[in-house]
Amino acid sequence: MTVATTVTSTVRSSEVVPARAAWSAVVRAGEQLTLTDLHGNQAVDFLVYDAQDTTVRYSAPDTVHAQGSIFLTTGSVLLSNEHTPLMTVTEDTCGRHDTVGGACSKESNTLRYGHHTWSQHACVDNFLAEGARHGLGKRDLVSNINWYMNVPVEKDGTLGIVDGISAPGLRVTLRAERDVLVLVSNCPQINNPCNGFDPTAVEATIGEATP
């Protein structure tokens, strides 16, 4: 487990994001966003854009290539499609987060778990609804980060979604390197262990960093 020194900040806003819900905010340059897993084993799907120009957005290939790892933790820099920094992980009390599992959707649910899951709410629905509030559409959705989600990858490239390694109260904190727009889907998935088959609330806190 990788743990950084706790970042002290003055809270600007704090909101509990209910199970299965979406959330978004503009995080100003230098501010800290903390996502807290309140009950444990809850995946938090995440996208980030330059708040001034949303065509500049998180790039999984740039981020993974630059840090030489598919997993995120303290010190990881979230890079844009222009290979510029958007946010930096400054604290991580969980230790590992996923970049390859993607966001659940009605289509992927049907393919993986059967036609009876078609009507179930999914992260793509959350991203589309929340993104629309900021003028974003389906073409603006890119490969996302899954905070707290445990997706091991075998040597042959096989990956799976297994029980999480998070626990109640664990958190990840990110510093905005510029003004950014953050979209969150508090994952509603109930067909695999990413949420312990029981989605729960998380907390999103924005604070001004202090020396």
Side-chain angles (χ1 to χ4, degrees), residues 177-209:
E177 305 300 349
R178 63 178 77 183
D179 293 353
V180 294
L181 168 64
V182 168
L183 299 186
V184 162
S185 171
N186 194 18
C187 184
Q189 183 61 253
I190 58 173
N191 301 291
N192 68 51
C194 72
N195 301 321
F197 302 100
D198 181 23
T200 53
V202 299
E203 185 176 40
T205 303
I206 301 173
E208 297 279 357

Side-chain angles (χ1 to χ4, degrees), residues 24-199:
S24 64
V26 172
V27 185
R28 297 190 291 261
E31 289 186 328
Q32 305 271 350
L33 169 65
T34 298
L35 299 171
T36 304
D37 189 357
L38 295 175
H39 302 280
N41 207 17
Q42 173 61 37
V44 181
D45 290 42
F46 182 93
L47 288 170
V48 57
Y49 304 79
D50 185 316
Q52 308 304 321
D53 180 4
T54 56
T55 64
V56 180
R57 68 278 302 266
Y58 169 72
S59 168
D62 286 82
T63 299
V64 169
H65 180 264
Q67 68 175 353
S69 174
I70 62 171
F71 300 114
L72 302 177
T73 188
T74 305
S76 296
V77 180
L78 310 187
L79 294 180
S80 75
N81 53 330
E82 295 186 345
H83 209 73
T84 52
L86 295 170
M87 305 187 85
T88 300
V89 180
T90 58
E91 182 185 26
D92 175 20
T93 61
C94 178
R96 192 176 77 178
H97 306 271
D98 168 64
T99 61
V100 297
C104 60
S105 66
K106 294 181 182 298
E107 292 79 7
S108 64
N109 280 344
T110 300
L111 179 64
R112 292 171 177 169
Y113 310 114
H115 239 328
H116 67 284
T117 66
W118 173 258
S119 62
Q120 294 176 1
H121 195 57
C123 284
V124 169
D125 301 319
N126 276 342
F127 281 145
L128 288 173
E130 196 66 20
R133 299 179 56 233
H134 304 279
L136 301 175
K138 194 167 187 178
R139 290 187 177 183
D140 297 301
L141 300 189
V142 294
S143 297
N144 62 287
I145 295 165
N146 294 306
W147 302 115
Y148 303 109
M149 189 167 162
N150 189 12
V151 183
V153 179
E154 305 298 334
K155 290 182 179 180
D156 65 357
T158 302
L159 59 86
I161 299 171
V162 299
D163 286 336
I165 58 175
S166 185
L170 296 189
R171 62 190 179 273
V172 59
T173 298
L174 303 103
R175 180 183 64 243
E177 305 300 349
R178 63 178 77 183
D179 293 353
V180 294
L181 168 64
V182 168
L183 299 186
V184 162
S185 171
N186 194 18
C187 184
Q189 183 61 253
I190 58 173
N191 301 291
N192 68 51
C194 72
N195 301 321
F197 302 100
D198 181 23

